[in-house]
Amino acid sequence: GAIRTVITGSNRRMGSRDVAAAPAVTPNAAAIANRFPEAPTAEAKLRLVFEELDLNNNRQIELDGFRRVLKAVGVDFTPATIDDLYERMDTNKNGAVSYSEYLNWAARYSSLIDSIYERSREAVEKLRRDSAIDAKRRAMEGLGQKERVANANWQGALKDLRTQERNLAALAEEIEQRKDEEKMRSREMLEVERDADFARTERNSKEKDYLAAKEMERDAFKPLNAATLTVEKIQGKMQNLEDGLYGMQ
């Protein structure tokens, strides 16, 4: 709109018309300097009110600006009353009130000057208070957001920890199962070794028994062989005797 925000130096120096044009996101309260002192001199008050009414910053008060500033500070006059006040101020009727015309008019309407000044000052103070409240609200929202992010991160970390715990438990269980399987295989290997030792022992025992049996068999055949030799000798002698007898005949 036609109302513009005035910034001088590093501080924001604001009047009521700036308050009316303030953006939705208010500035930091510490950066807002109220251009209306609490106890101004009479000259300073007149000058500051004139600057408020000089909406176009051309050292003149125009009717449109006069209407808009009165509305901005909450002076509830009818349009006819506002027009009448402006006509009384614009003595040369050129549609633009100079500072000298304004001073003459202000001398007759000092209560209205005081009202415009106090309302303007209060509007800026209200903006400062609202800005401070808004800053605190945004700070709380920021803390709340950080808390939510931190809580979400904590929940995520807790979930990851629970997952890792489950994985570790599963791994520990798998290790125990492998240990049990290894123990079982060790027992089976021991049993196989014992069976092999038993088989070797039994085989050696049977080999010894077989050799002993063969020895006994050889020992058993010795008398038979001797008897066979004796029989063969006797048969030879008998054959010789028979042959001798046949020769004698």
Side-chain angles (χ1 to χ4, degrees):
I3 300 176
R4 60 187 179 85
T5 301
V6 179
I7 300 176
T8 59
S10 61
N11 291 329
R12 181 184 295 269
R13 303 188 60 82
M14 300 188 70
S16 61
R17 59 185 179 178
D18 305 316
V19 174
V25 179
T26 57
N28 189 302
I32 302 174
N34 195 336
R35 62 193 298 265
F36 299 95
E38 185 174 359
T41 64
E43 181 182 354
K45 180 184 292 187
L46 289 170
R47 176 178 54 80
L48 289 169
V49 171
F50 179 82
E51 291 174 356
E52 282 295 286
L53 298 174
D54 178 15
L55 196 60
N56 293 323
N57 284 342
N58 58 1
R59 299 295 298 170
Q60 292 179 336
I61 301 173
E62 298 172 356
L63 179 58
D64 181 63
F66 187 60
R67 289 171 177 165
R68 296 175 67 179
V69 170
L70 290 181
K71 181 178 180 181
V73 298
V75 175
D76 191 18
F77 288 162
T78 64
T81 300
I82 294 174
D83 290 347
D84 180 65
L85 287 171
Y86 187 80
E87 288 180 6
R88 293 172 184 270
M89 188 166 33
D90 184 17
T91 56
N92 62 6
K93 308 304 178 185
N94 65 348
V97 175
S98 66
Y99 189 64
S100 60
E101 288 178 308
Y102 159 76
L103 291 178
N104 293 330
W105 176 83
R108 299 193 304 271
Y109 296 95
S110 58
S111 60
L112 180 56
I113 296 298
D114 291 341
S115 178
I116 294 173
Y117 184 90
E118 292 300 327
R119 288 170 182 264
S120 297
R121 185 177 185 282
E122 178 57 30
V124 177
E125 286 301 312
K126 183 177 184 300
L127 178 62
R128 286 167 57 86
R129 291 193 298 269
D130 291 346
S131 297
I133 294 172
D134 184 65
K136 291 180 181 179
R137 178 187 57 78
R138 286 185 279 111
M140 291 298 295
E141 289 176 353
L143 290 175
Q145 177 64 23
K146 289 181 180 179
E147 182 180 3
R148 288 190 292 273
V149 171
N151 185 62
N153 292 337
W154 181 80
Q155 292 291 343
L158 183 62
K159 182 179 180 181
D160 292 341
L161 178 61
R162 294 288 183 265
T163 300
Q164 292 178 6
E165 288 177 348
R166 288 193 295 271
N167 292 338
L168 287 174
L171 180 60
E173 183 178 357
E174 182 180 355
I175 291 174
E176 290 299 322
Q177 289 178 352
R178 291 183 178 181
K179 287 182 179 179
D180 293 340
E181 293 174 357
E182 188 65 26
K183 289 179 182 178
M184 185 175 296
R185 283 195 291 269
S186 297
R187 287 196 294 269
E188 290 175 352
M189 289 297 297
L190 289 174
E191 291 177 359
V192 169
E193 290 178 359
R194 285 197 295 268
D195 291 343
D197 290 340
F198 178 78
R200 284 194 293 270
T201 301
E202 186 175 7
R203 185 190 63 187
N204 292 335
S205 177
K206 288 182 179 180
E207 287 180 353
K208 290 179 180 179
D209 292 343
Y210 174 76
L211 293 175
K214 292 293 288 185
E215 186 65 24
M216 290 176 64
E217 182 181 5
R218 286 194 293 272
D219 291 342
F221 274 103
K222 287 179 180 179
L224 178 61
N225 291 335
T228 300
L229 290 175
T230 301
V231 170
E232 289 178 350
K233 289 179 179 180
I234 293 173
Q235 287 178 346
K237 290 179 178 181
M238 290 179 65
Q239 185 65 38
N240 290 333
L241 289 174
E242 288 179 356
D243 292 342
L245 290 175
Y246 286 134
M248 292 177 63
Q249 293 179 354

